[in-house]
Amino acid sequence: MSAETWLERRDHAEGVTEICLKRAPVNALCPEFLMDFAGLLETLVHDEGVRAIVITSPFKVFSAGLDLKEAQSYDLGEQQAIVKGLNVGFLALFSCPKPTVCAVSGAAIAGGLFFVLAADFRVAHPAAKLGLAEVRVGADFPFGPMEIARATLDPNTLRRLMLTGQPMSADDAHRCGVIDIIDEETRARALAEAGRLAQNPPLTYATIKRQIRGSVIQQIEHAAAHGANEPRGGWYNEETRAAMARMMG
């Protein structure tokens, strides 16, 4: 599989480019998908014709997070690969110097929520559900996603999502600032918001974004350079596989 299969680039007016996540049926995360996503973002960063990026999904579930069916059998190397994918993929979005907008058309759960948290602006469908289910899956947070969550969620929302593992409604997410706008025409609204952001002076936008996020980006990059992408003991603990099996039913 490749980015050509899982990710579709669609160019729109005003320099807006859409990345459509298409790993059917629920955009479950695997190392290759995340690394392809990072690679496509890098391509768009260096494309002078791209002034803003929108992330969309055609599926009822925006992203269900880790592919639990595959992940239950991950060996040490595969655990290290998914940790690297989560760190690299979501850092690429979080650090992207161009405006990024996420159109949350359905449930964004566990790792899938980081497409939302790492974006600059978030539009959700009224029926969307947003959550961090890692505690129920028996897995802690890789360094990159953890620091992105700390930087983008207030402490009480962080506590609620991470320690309960239960999702919140779009309305609750809007009240907490996780979502900026709720709109039934989610994709169209996200494209319109991206068009507005694309009108900002790009160098200034990139500079201010780095001022906001630079210290967190540096922390993640430093951790990656010192082994965070390849944890020696892997990612799982003695509870993980059984917890994943329970989640799978």
Side-chain angles (χ1 to χ4, degrees):
M1 293 292 185
S2 70
E4 294 180 359
T5 303
W6 289 332
L7 303 165
E8 181 180 346
R9 172 178 175 170
R10 301 170 181 171
D11 293 317
H12 300 274
E14 300 177 304
V16 174
T17 291
E18 177 182 358
I19 297 176
C20 185
L21 309 178
K22 297 179 66 178
R23 188 173 189 238
V26 293
N27 285 320
L29 305 180
C30 67
E32 298 83 2
F33 183 37
L34 289 160
M35 296 302 288
D36 283 349
F37 178 70
L40 179 53
L41 278 173
E42 184 70 13
T43 296
L44 299 183
V45 165
H46 290 96
D47 186 333
E48 294 183 358
V50 176
R51 294 181 61 93
I53 299 165
V54 179
I55 301 166
T56 66
S57 167
F59 307 134
K60 184 176 180 180
V61 174
F62 177 82
S63 175
L66 190 64
D67 189 330
L68 296 183
K69 184 177 180 180
E70 292 181 2
Q72 286 183 72
S73 61
Y74 278 175
D75 61 21
L76 175 61
E78 290 167 326
Q79 291 176 44
Q80 292 173 331
I82 188 62
V83 167
K84 181 177 181 179
L86 291 164
N87 285 335
V88 172
F90 294 123
L91 178 60
L93 179 57
F94 187 72
S95 64
C96 177
K98 298 183 178 183
T100 58
V101 179
C102 189
V104 192
S105 51
I109 303 298
L113 185 61
F114 288 95
F115 289 110
V116 183
L117 298 183
D120 300 349
F121 198 88
R122 304 90 174 255
V123 181
H125 189 274
K129 299 289 185 183
L130 302 98
L132 293 171
E134 281 79 357
V135 70
R136 298 168 61 205
V137 176
D140 61 14
F141 290 82
F143 190 87
M146 184 71 239
E147 295 309 309
I148 290 170
R150 288 187 200 274
T152 56
L153 294 170
D154 69 73
N156 273 324
T157 303
L158 188 77
R159 169 193 57 79
R160 173 180 172 181
L161 289 176
M162 288 192 173
L163 295 183
T164 70
Q166 298 297 325
M168 58 173 56
S169 67
D171 285 338
D172 282 349
H174 185 250
R175 281 191 287 271
C176 294
V178 178
I179 293 300
D180 296 300
I181 291 173
I182 298 175
D183 195 320
E184 289 190 2
E185 300 299 326
T186 312
R187 177 175 173 269
R189 182 62 179 271
L191 290 169
E193 295 296 333
R196 280 187 273 276
L197 289 174
Q199 301 307 309
N200 289 314
L203 293 178
T204 304
Y205 189 93
T207 299
I208 294 174
K209 189 170 178 178
R210 190 76 186 192
Q211 288 177 314
I212 296 170
R213 298 184 172 180
S215 62
V216 178
I217 293 167
Q218 289 174 357
Q219 289 175 34
I220 297 171
E221 290 174 339
H222 181 270
H226 291 80
N229 282 347
E230 297 180 349
R232 287 187 180 182
W235 186 20
Y236 297 175
N237 61 46
E238 62 271 20
E239 301 173 334
T240 306
R241 297 184 199 278
M244 288 181 174
R246 285 195 300 272
M247 286 287 285
M248 289 290 293

